[in-house]
């Protein structure tokens, strides 16, 4: 199970992805294909698919490999 939360601030989407305490990673929405304030269904579907493809227990290195630099 992976928890995902998204928020829009500072003219950009921010997405937290993670399942364990202190294990979530913060990505910018653009790293997941979310470019607009009101993303289309297609953008949301692509972002969801990107998160769904993450293996269980994904490491920080795997996040960086797939999405580029993580925010934290």
């Amino acid at each position: 199970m992976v928890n995902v939360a998204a928020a829009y601030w500072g003219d950009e989407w921010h997405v937290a992805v993670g399942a364990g305490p202190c294990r979530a990673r913060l990505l910018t929405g653009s790293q997941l294909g979310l470019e607009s304030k009101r993303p289309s269904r297609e953008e949301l579907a692509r972002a969801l698919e990107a998160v769904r493809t993450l293996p269980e227990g994904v490491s920080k290195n795997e996040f960086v490999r797939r999405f580029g630099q993580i925010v934290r």
Side-chain angles (χ1 to χ4, degrees):
M1 178 191 302
V2 174
N3 295 320
V4 178
Y8 190 85
W9 79 82
D11 293 328
E12 187 167 29
W13 282 98
H14 300 270
V15 182
V17 180
C22 300
R23 298 277 308 189
R25 302 290 182 225
L26 185 60
L27 302 168
T28 62
S30 59
Q31 290 172 292
L32 295 173
L34 301 176
E35 299 294 338
S36 62
K37 281 186 178 181
R38 293 184 168 265
S40 67
R41 287 181 184 259
E42 292 79 20
E43 286 178 301
L44 291 172
R46 282 192 303 271
L48 180 58
E49 189 58 33
V51 172
R52 280 186 175 158
T53 63
L54 293 170
E56 190 171 324
V58 66
S59 69
K60 180 178 178 179
N61 290 337
E62 179 67 9
F63 263 92
V64 172
R65 186 182 75 72
R66 289 191 186 205
F67 302 113
Q69 185 60 39
I70 56 176
V71 177
R72 125 178 143 73

